[in-house]
Amino acid sequence: MAPVITHRPTYSSSNEMLNNDKSLRFGDYIFKRLNSCGTKSIFGVPGDYNLNLLELMYPNGTANKTSEINWIGCCNELNAAYAADGYSRYTNKLGCIVTTCGVGELSAMNGISGSFAEHVKVLHIVGIPSTEKFKTGGNFHHLLPNFKESNLNKPNYKVFAEMVQGSVSCSTKFIENLDTACQEFDDLIRDIYKYSKPGYMFVPENYFKLYVNPKNLYETPSITLQDCITMSPDKMEMADGLTDFIFSYLYHAEKPAIIADTLTDRYSGSSLLNEFIQKTNIWNFSTLMGKSILDESTETYKGVYNGKDGCEKVQKAISTCDLILHFGVEKNEVNSGTYTFEDYYSKVSFIIEFHPQYIRMIDMQSKSTQLFGGVEFTYILKRMLKMVNPSNLHLNYPTSDESSTKTDQEAVANNQITQDHISTTMESYIKPGDVVLCDTGTFQFSLRDFKFSSQVKLVSQFFYLSIGYALPSALGVGIAMRDYPNSHIKDEQLKENTKPRLILFEGDGAAQMTVQELSTMLRYEVPMDIFLWNNDGYTIERAIQGPTRSYNDIQPWNWTYLFKAFGDAKENFAKNHKVETTKELDNILTELRSKDQNNINFVEVTLGIMDMPKILTDFMVRAVKHANKS
């Protein structure tokens, strides 16, 4: 990988010369800045207005790409957005997608919306018509003409930028001045890091090859998350005081609990929190969106807390706790069990919520709250880790029942594969260090109560829940694992001795949404295990309504032939399997685990059309009861 700056020019009067230097094309600046931020691969689809940018990957007319950025061409823009999302979730760096305006950009918007809803750092670069075209006032392809008198009035050339700003974008830059373009781009990156949300940059096609001043690359060689979430001295002083206050509660609590939520991961607090737990042995839980942040193999991990939608054992455990430290808090319908988190807290407990922009304290007994704005929680977490004295803790937890409730005797006797059976087998199939992706669907419910081995990373949309997300996201995660091998593994011994598997759990209905990206996995040789749950349609929707309706049906496919159609006719890279019995499934799992993962293993698993995990059945029963009461 080439460095961002191979050498820095020497200037006799450096400031003046540097300020007047225009030695780098803006497109090259974009690539170098992205690389300096840790983005090694970008995703997208070529389009007429972004080709000038993509051409800069081939300097001096060379046939082979020599840029420090890898181009991953996807089958469509929606899938590219999902892939960029997966890249960012794995690396916690910028995932980047490049499209042309209008037709490409709008196709990607659903993927960007999911990133916005779930706090994922995605940069969307949109190529737009040249500045010369804008000056003519004409209507150009991919753009939207005026609704009225379009032949007489020029269109709004910023219509797409205005569409995304503040809705699916934390920051939007429409580049109109080359003199400020580099600074605007850098500011956009800082906003994406600060808010952990997608950002957009709209660039005229002719600007990519025009020269700019690269001084920002010299003055600020890199932009990191930590650079973007620093606090002012007065807020640091407030945070120091809050830390002392938190310890006063922690040292008096007998049954404290830690809850890890999704923003803990997005703001690089996961390692800190795990280290704090290891040091203190405090009971710990994750939220649905925070699953896999914590080391779930420890005795102190008690499961996913999901309010009324969670399992009774976890509800009972949380209800005994007198202090709740909720890190990286994210409140939404799904993550909070339809806003029932506080329903199971002890009536005498004290709650402290840690957020990137505030600390909030709730006294359950008096119902009083205090809000401290402008305080970034990882700063406090670092101080807590440094200052905590385990000998000052007075932990006194009740004896907990860790017995498993998973049984599937009837299915085993009939040799029939059921959701409950695959829940049991897949939990044991996932080994330390593996990376797991799961699409929206029935199996996602089972995954919630898996107890993962150490250092497992889960990627799934638990809130936005866009069906079809996981398959192209797995492409992005696979590329990220290639760019940053084993970076999700913090245990050095495990990192050195483990070759993690990338495992995708996908429903047949979800797969039909985005299946083209299987061909991209072939093209870039991204190894993974893919388990396709074939239950003849949208079983997750059948569970809600219309179990026998045709709108929940899909056209059956010959799934194991897909890779042949996509270019691997001789199964050189993708190995295809179809299993219909528990014995066949167990055999293929044993076979796969006995081999290194150097290729794609595609396993179609036949399930009953209305087969659902017990956890989903119980969830639907509770939902019906709740609806009847209201």
Side-chain angles (χ1 to χ4, degrees), residues 10-19:
T10 302
Y11 297 107
S12 53
S13 54
S14 58
N15 285 341
E16 182 178 354
M17 294 294 290
L18 197 60
N19 288 335

Side-chain angles (χ1 to χ4, degrees), residues 458-477:
L458 172 65
V459 175
S460 187
Q461 275 193 350
F462 281 109
F463 171 51
Y464 192 66
L465 297 171
S466 182
I467 292 177
Y469 158 82
L471 192 152
S473 179
L475 167 68
V477 172

Side-chain angles (χ1 to χ4, degrees), residues 231-241 373-375 379:
M231 296 186 298
S232 60
D234 62 314
K235 295 299 182 182
M236 288 184 182
E237 186 176 348
M238 180 191 291
D240 293 343
V375 179
Y379 175 86

